[in-house]
Amino acid sequence: QVQLVEQGGGLVQAGGSLRLSCTASERLYSSYAMGWFRQAPGKEREAVAGIRWGTGYTYYADFAKGRFTISRDRSENTADLQMSNLSPDDTAVYYCTGGSRTWPPRETWGQGTQVTVSS
């Protein structure tokens, strides 16, 4: 089973940028998709973005449109989430996800990485 490992979380000031990276443990096939979810304290987990491995087709939650960009590197088996113009509302644990049967994918989860945006 594919394992996913996130990198890149941390503390950033409001208005700043942060890049998260997720590496898959094995080669991914075109039918696969990777994505990002997040969970803020006291809130439900929500989808952020997704990308289809084969076509590069993307999905963004409304709050992510225009600020976040998901990309993939098929040769490196990585999917990145570039986040800009961050606000304290973006503070959450961000999870990398993968799968081939759900969209955005949610069958496989990484361990999560904390993103904290200070005001």
Side-chain angles (χ1 to χ4, degrees):
Q1 184 174 349
V2 176
Q3 294 181 336
L4 305 173
V5 178
E6 303 100 334
Q7 288 183 318
L11 175 64
V12 63
Q13 288 187 333
S17 300
L18 204 60
R19 189 177 186 90
L20 306 181
S21 184
C22 177
T23 302
S25 60
E26 59 189 62
R27 177 177 175 267
L28 302 177
Y29 292 92
S30 296
S31 61
Y32 205 74
M34 291 181 74
W36 291 90
F37 281 66
R38 71 183 188 183
Q39 187 166 24
K43 296 187 178 181
E44 293 188 354
R45 197 170 291 185
E46 60 182 351
V48 177
I51 188 165
R52 293 196 183 277
W53 206 247
T55 64
Y57 178 80
T58 57
Y59 158 85
Y60 292 98
D62 285 344
F63 65 79
K65 292 177 181 177
R67 299 191 301 130
F68 295 2
T69 302
I70 189 170
S71 61
R72 77 203 191 298
D73 185 327
R74 297 180 69 176
S75 65
E76 298 291 330
N77 292 329
T78 59
D80 290 356
L81 183 69
Q82 177 68 45
M83 304 183 292
S84 62
N85 194 22
L86 288 163
S87 77
D89 289 341
D90 296 312
T91 295
V93 177
Y94 284 71
Y95 297 90
C96 177
T97 64
S100 58
R101 300 186 302 276
T102 52
W103 178 251
R106 57 180 70 89
E107 296 141 55
T108 301
W109 294 74
Q111 81 283 2
T113 185
Q114 177 70 46
V115 171
T116 302
V117 184
S118 63
S119 57

